[in-house]
Amino acid sequence: MGKHAAHIVWDWNGTLFHDNDAVIGATNAAFAEIGLEPITLEQYREVYCVPIPRFYERLIGRLPTDAEWERMDAAFHRHYTAWRAACRLADGAEVLLADWRSAGHSQSILSMYGHNDLVPLVRGFGIEPHFVRIDGRTGPSGGSKAEHMVRHVAALAGVEPARTVVIGDAADDAIAARRVGAQAVLYTGGSHSRASLEVAGVPVVDSLAEAVAEAERVAAA
């Protein structure tokens, strides 16, 4: 990697990994734990936010109790693991990753998915060699990515935050990018609607190919 090469920090769920079906299936399973009606993907994308308990508050009109949160969180992860087996990488992801690396740039993954589940999943798709680092969440689920981003970028040798672009599907990815002085590009194929992404004030695109092209542009600016 050249000293002045651009770097992409990829989000995983809803970005590189097209897992919308698993997310909505697991969310509805979590809702059933406390007697909530199921929601559609469109409804999910309109109201989803982090931290996750706030997302539930938007739907039920109050924050879940600690006991409800624990039940819902456990149900979500249990059902997500079952649903994810049918999910695949986003369209064109393998080629984009290979081309970015071949161009002399670097890339990594930072996900709020549990680290011990993330790494074997990435490895199973045969794309692990494209990344200089892969970090999943450690500690409790449900929080923001910003503090994780600080640790992730600090561990990337030779990567300049000013030439780093975070590509993700959530407004929280833009917040995390700003925390470390990086840029962000948000992708509409995951957990957020375009309208909810545009309030983040960063470029919003409809494909990963557009996201990479935009990342190259803003990293060079």
Side-chain angles (χ1 to χ4, degrees):
M1 181 180 67
K3 181 179 178 181
H4 300 293
H7 182 85
I8 291 175
V9 178
W10 290 97
D11 175 55
W12 179 249
N13 303 93
T15 305
L16 285 176
F17 189 44
H18 186 65
D19 62 347
N20 289 347
D21 288 344
V23 167
I24 196 64
T27 296
N28 283 331
F31 286 176
E33 288 288 319
I34 61 170
L36 295 179
E37 293 296 317
I39 63 171
T40 66
L41 177 60
E42 289 71 24
Q43 291 171 315
Y44 180 96
R45 284 162 51 85
E46 286 298 325
V47 300
Y48 178 76
C49 65
V50 293
I52 304 299
R54 294 291 181 186
F55 164 56
Y56 292 148
E57 181 183 29
R58 289 183 174 187
L59 291 166
I60 66 177
R62 61 174 176 81
L63 284 170
T65 66
D66 289 345
E68 287 173 334
W69 163 248
E70 289 177 7
R71 286 170 55 198
M72 295 171 78
D73 190 49
F76 177 90
H77 289 289
R78 184 172 67 252
H79 287 275
Y80 178 85
T81 298
W83 277 79
R84 80 177 190 196
C87 299
R88 297 292 178 261
L89 295 178
D91 288 344
E94 297 99 324
V95 173
L96 290 168
L97 294 172
D99 287 351
W100 184 259
R101 183 184 179 198
S102 296
H105 304 307
S106 61
Q107 55 202 328
S108 58
I109 293 175
L110 175 62
S111 174
M112 295 300 282
Y113 193 40
H115 184 79
N116 291 337
D117 293 311
L118 173 67
V119 172
L121 186 56
V122 174
R123 188 172 294 148
F125 284 110
I127 58 174
E128 184 182 17
H130 294 311
F131 304 105
V132 297
R133 188 174 182 87
I134 299 171
D135 284 331
R137 172 186 49 78
T138 56
S141 62
S144 174
K145 184 178 278 188
E147 292 302 324
H148 297 269
M149 184 68 73
V150 171
R151 292 190 292 271
H152 181 77
V153 171
L156 296 172
V159 170
E160 301 175 27
R163 299 213 62 210
T164 297
V165 180
V166 177
I167 297 178
D169 70 319
D172 191 50
D173 290 298
I175 294 170
R178 283 195 291 270
R179 177 70 67 86
V180 296
Q183 304 292 323
V185 178
L186 300 181
Y187 163 61
T188 63
S191 61
H192 280 51
S193 67
R194 172 175 277 277
S196 64
L197 294 177
E198 287 176 340
V199 300
V202 301
V204 177
V205 299
D206 297 318
S207 72
L208 291 189
E210 292 176 274
V212 171
E214 187 67 17
E216 191 161 28
R217 184 190 69 78
V218 299

